[in-house]
Amino acid sequence: MSEQTTQSQRKVVVAGAGMAGVQTAVALREQGFTGTVTLIGAEPHQPYDRPPLSKAVLLGKAEGSAFDVDFEALGIELQLGREVLGVRPADHELDTEAGPVPYDVLVLATGAEPIRLPGVEGVPGVHLLRTLDDAERLRPVLARQHDIVVVGAGWIGAEFATAAREAGCAVTVVEAADRPLAGALPAEVAAPMTAWYQDSGAVLRTHARVERVEPGAVLLDDGSRLPAGAVVVGIGARPATAWLAGSGIELGAHGEVVADDGLRTSVPDVYAVGDCASFPSGRYGERLLVHHWDNALQGPRTVAANILGEATGETSAVYDPVPYFWSEQFGRFVQYAGHHAAADTTLWRGDPSGPAWTVCWLKDDRLVALLAVGRPRDLAQGRRLIEAGTPMDAALLGDPARPMKAATA
Ligand SMILES: Cc1cc2nc3c(=O)[nH]c(=O)nc-3n(C[C@H](O)[C@H](O)[C@H](O)COP(=O)(O)OP(=O)(O)OC[C@H]3O[C@@H](n4cnc5c(N)ncnc54)[C@H](O)[C@@H]3O)c2cc1C
């Protein structure tokens, strides 16, 4: 049998029709896969992009954010509104609401789901922000200009608070830690962001925990009572992998699928990509679980290359990205590239109380990460310097007037 015939008879099934699932299906076609590609998604909507949900879609500036992909023309079979319930690798079969689906190769791309605040399930006016349906439920809430309490000053909390202020709502953000983005950034970097909340007119309450939510009010553990026409919970997300229980596919400490450097799982013919999977980073020497858009764009190319490579006996593609994400909050464009550890040295470019600044993380004399606020050129150059592992001159790098690419040793 020729390679072409073998390939054209293979059936790839992708579970999850978000960014990572769609990009996997598209990358397979772009890279010349001729077999069957089936994309199964639980949500009934045409596959869509999530970042606009906390930005233009929320504010009604965009109707939706469906991907501009002609699935039919690409020969990608879409099965929407169909939840995958389990997988039996020994039989090469998925179980779905509408019965079993056989596969030759399976790609897990079920993303993440928001962590819920215990005890508030079913209380009227409590919202999450993960799906198009969530965003559509929140639009009229913003339009009514309620008092809004946001639980969690992470990325989603900050973006939602930004939109709610823009819509004219009174916003209080309740955060258990001592600062915004406590899980992502060290105190000295997050400190200037506290002022962003105040400047926008939002109230940020740190060291504050939600004790209870009642209709119309949030009660904090210090006894205070916040009026709340609506409550938006943004306390993080966890991989949507409960459906893999008992499948034999290895899950990690955060419930994520443990993939290898080619995004293969512990089970043959099963790959995992996007928010649901972690991978070993050769570059950073640790396993990374990345919940950002660029990872759901880049990872699928490696998955597709390896699916094709296995059919043709080519060498394995390795996934070792410089992670990247952006956030739009309080009128600022915030971008981060790389991955930093507590032991890395921080170096500032510019005044963090001003509108535009960058903070760099260095290990020895190499740039390993940077956060750029309103300095997209720093981000673009820094990302390339991280990728190349170029030695830097710290004194030159600290001068914000000097392009980063001109601060090499
Ligand atoms: C509101 C919001 C704003 C964001 N903004 C930014 C941003 O500005 N910058 C940035 O870098 N990142 C941002 N992100 C993160 C980014 O959108 C995600 O990293 C990306 O969507 C991950 O893609 P994914 O395909 O892995 O997962 P998902 O987008 O979660 O897609 C997974 C899909 O699988 C489906 N699914 C789950 N379980 C099953 C099942 N059992 N059966 C069938 N289908 C299933 C889900 O319904 C979902 O549609 C944002 C995320 C959100 C929620």
Side-chain angles (χ1 to χ4, degrees):
M1 214 185 280
S2 75
E3 268 168 17
Q4 199 57 37
T5 320
T6 316
Q7 233 208 74
S8 65
Q9 289 173 345
R10 291 176 90 207
K11 181 175 166 69
V12 177
V13 175
V14 183
M19 179 72 182
V22 167
Q23 291 299 328
T24 301
V26 170
L28 279 165
R29 290 296 184 230
E30 278 175 357
Q31 294 180 28
F33 181 74
T34 54
T36 307
V37 180
T38 303
L39 189 54
I40 306 179
E43 295 179 66
H45 309 288
Q46 198 63 15
Y48 62 88
D49 208 11
R50 281 178 213 283
L53 300 185
S54 52
K55 306 172 184 80
V57 171
L58 192 57
L59 284 166
K61 293 179 183 169
E63 260 319 302
S65 56
F67 293 118
D68 186 15
V69 173
D70 188 340
F71 293 99
E72 206 180 320
L74 287 170
I76 297 166
E77 188 199 350
L78 272 184
Q79 297 190 3
L80 300 174
R82 185 172 187 184
E83 190 179 349
V84 179
L85 304 173
V87 53
R88 287 172 282 111
D91 303 326
H92 274 63
E93 243 176 20
L94 279 180
D95 289 311
T96 77
E97 291 175 317
V101 178
Y103 65 83
D104 294 315
V105 179
L106 172 65
V107 181
L108 310 175
T110 46
E113 54 202 8
I115 296 173
R116 285 156 198 273
L117 194 62
V120 306
E121 209 73 13
V123 177
V126 177
H127 298 261
L128 297 165
L129 180 49
R130 180 81 197 176
T131 64
L132 184 58
D133 289 343
D134 292 336
E136 278 175 356
R137 274 190 289 266
L138 279 163
R139 262 197 209 176
V141 171
L142 292 194
R144 281 199 296 272
Q145 301 191 329
H146 280 308
D147 287 317
I148 294 186
V149 172
V150 179
V151 184
W155 302 111
I156 296 287
E159 292 202 351
F160 182 80
T162 302
R165 285 299 301 139
E166 199 176 320
C169 304
V171 178
T172 304
V173 181
V174 175
E175 168 58 52
D178 61 349
R179 59 181 189 273
L181 291 165
L185 297 173
E188 59 168 331
V189 178
M193 297 176 175
T194 303
W196 300 356
Y197 287 75
Q198 282 149 14
D199 295 348
S200 81
V203 176
L204 173 63
R205 305 231 356 203
T206 52
H207 298 292
R209 282 182 180 278
V210 174
E211 181 90 15
R212 211 166 65 243
V213 178
E214 293 175 351
V218 171
L219 287 92
L220 301 183
D221 61 355
D222 66 359
S224 47
R225 185 186 178 90
L226 307 174
V231 180
V232 177
V233 178
I235 55 173
R238 64 166 69 95
T241 55
W243 65 280
L244 293 170
S247 67
I249 295 172
E250 185 187 349
L251 301 183
H254 304 280
E256 86 283 9
V257 181
V258 174
D260 72 6
D261 63 4
L263 300 178
R264 296 176 199 81
T265 70
S266 61
V267 160
D269 302 321
V270 183
Y271 292 78
V273 65
D275 280 12
C276 72
S278 69
F279 56 90
S281 165
R283 188 183 294 279
Y284 292 104
E286 60 181 286
R287 181 163 281 280
L288 300 183
L289 172 58
V290 178
H291 277 187
H292 296 299
W293 186 90
D294 192 61
N295 179 55
L297 170 69
Q298 309 290 348
R301 295 177 188 156
T302 302
V303 172
N306 283 333
I307 292 173
L308 276 141
E310 253 156 46
T312 56
E314 276 168 34
T315 49
S316 174
V318 168
Y319 188 55
D320 197 9
V322 172
Y324 165 73
F325 70 87
W326 80 96
S327 171
E328 292 160 44
Q329 46 178 286
F330 307 114
R332 290 167 177 84
F333 189 41
V334 181
Q335 295 169 287
Y336 179 97
H339 174 74
H340 68 269
D344 299 331
T345 311
T346 47
L347 187 148
W348 293 86
R349 283 169 60 77
D351 175 5
S353 64
W357 47 271
T358 294
V359 60
C360 302
W361 283 269
L362 294 153
K363 187 172 184 160
D364 304 323
D365 58 352
R366 317 279 158 147
L367 191 64
V368 291
L370 82 161
L371 177 92
V373 176
R375 290 180 65 101
R377 198 166 297 163
D378 274 4
L379 191 286
Q381 293 180 11
R383 196 176 181 181
R384 281 196 286 273
L385 291 163
I386 297 171
E387 242 146 24
T390 313
M392 305 300 295
D393 180 316
L396 299 181
L397 190 60
D399 174 7
R402 178 182 288 270
M404 287 188 68
K405 64 182 179 190
T408 55

